[in-house]
Amino acid sequence: RACGRGARVKRKRFEMASRMLVVFAFVGALAVVCSAQTCPCLKEENAQCARVIATGGSTCDVETVECDKCFCDFSGSADLECETVERVAFLPTEVDGQCADRTITFARCPPPAEPALWRVGSDSCENICGSESLACNAGRTNELNALALSDQLAFRSSMLLATGTVCSAVAFCNPAGLCPNSGPALFGTQCGYDLNGPSTCKAEILGGGAFGGERVCCCGPDDRCPLATR
């Protein structure tokens, strides 16, 4: 879509998910980044937003509603990337109760990220994933286990992503026979990995209950089981 070719909005009803002050204040700033069609942005939840209701001809009413909105931010503190959208909308003029078509540019919030599908439990990954009607992904589980050998910092960071646990130690857990074909694993805050063979969906941590051992399982496609690079 070429920049500046916003969709025409008929003069009937338009619900605007931005505060009026914010819309008018950021039109100039957003126009600068329109050619790129994205901008670094921040999200404001439960903001006070304006909803414009056409009442006939050029007249309109404005209601204040709560909404979530995003706005471009170039201060370096933005944690999201937003699409910038240019659109013609039926908006209030300086005359009370009057509206007219105006071109605005705004930041469209990105869709919410899908939740990760790493799971932890003291059973086989097949059963852990199956309890939520999810499918065990042995390949991705093995990728996490292998990081312990190739890059322990990435392994620690990935275990934090997957389990929310900061590894107090990283160790090969199989000398004690605790995790055959079932790495990676958690033993409290200690993160274990298996060297003896690939992790399988059916393997369980031996003596898991007695030692507090839990398997760490990917229960979905690779992109739903993120791994850290560092």
Side-chain angles (χ1 to χ4, degrees), residues 2-215:
C3 186
R5 295 182 184 175
R8 288 278 168 180
V9 179
K10 292 184 178 180
R11 193 182 295 184
K12 288 184 178 179
R13 178 172 297 184
F14 179 82
E15 295 189 3
M16 185 175 65
S18 296
R19 284 183 300 185
M20 282 298 172
L21 291 177
V22 173
V23 169
F24 294 137
F26 280 91
V27 165
L30 286 169
V32 174
V33 298
C34 185
S35 59
Q37 291 190 286
T38 62
C39 69
C41 60
L42 294 172
K43 184 175 183 179
E44 182 180 351
E45 297 182 348
N46 301 318
Q48 294 297 303
C49 301
R51 174 161 52 196
V52 179
I53 302 173
T55 55
S58 62
T59 63
C60 60
D61 290 329
V62 178
E63 297 178 344
T64 299
V65 296
E66 281 193 353
C67 73
D68 297 339
K69 69 168 191 64
C70 288
F71 57 93
C72 292
D73 183 278
F74 300 97
S75 67
S77 59
D79 56 357
L80 298 172
E81 187 79 10
C82 288
E83 178 188 8
T84 56
V85 179
E86 188 174 279
R87 183 163 294 174
V88 175
F90 191 52
L91 299 176
T93 67
E94 292 75 14
V95 179
D96 188 41
Q98 294 290 305
C99 285
D101 285 340
R102 293 189 175 187
T103 299
I104 61 170
T105 308
F106 60 93
R108 174 181 288 158
C109 293
E114 293 184 296
L117 291 178
W118 287 110
R119 297 292 186 267
V120 179
S122 56
D123 203 337
S124 68
C125 285
E126 184 176 69
N127 290 338
I128 291 168
C129 299
S131 68
E132 299 181 47
S133 299
L134 300 172
C136 168
N137 182 340
R140 192 62 161 179
T141 303
N142 272 296
E143 285 185 55
L144 175 52
N145 185 67
L147 276 179
L149 297 175
S150 62
D151 189 335
Q152 277 211 7
L153 181 56
F155 177 72
R156 287 173 178 268
S157 298
S158 295
M159 288 292 279
L160 178 60
L161 276 177
T163 70
T165 299
V166 177
C167 299
S168 60
V170 174
F172 174 38
C173 62
N174 233 27
L178 295 178
C179 59
N181 302 107
S182 54
L186 275 181
F187 296 87
T189 60
Q190 297 185 57
C191 298
Y193 60 94
D194 177 29
L195 288 176
N196 287 354
S199 295
T200 67
C201 290
K202 293 183 179 295
E204 298 182 26
I205 293 180
L206 302 182
F211 293 94
E214 296 178 295
R215 286 203 67 177

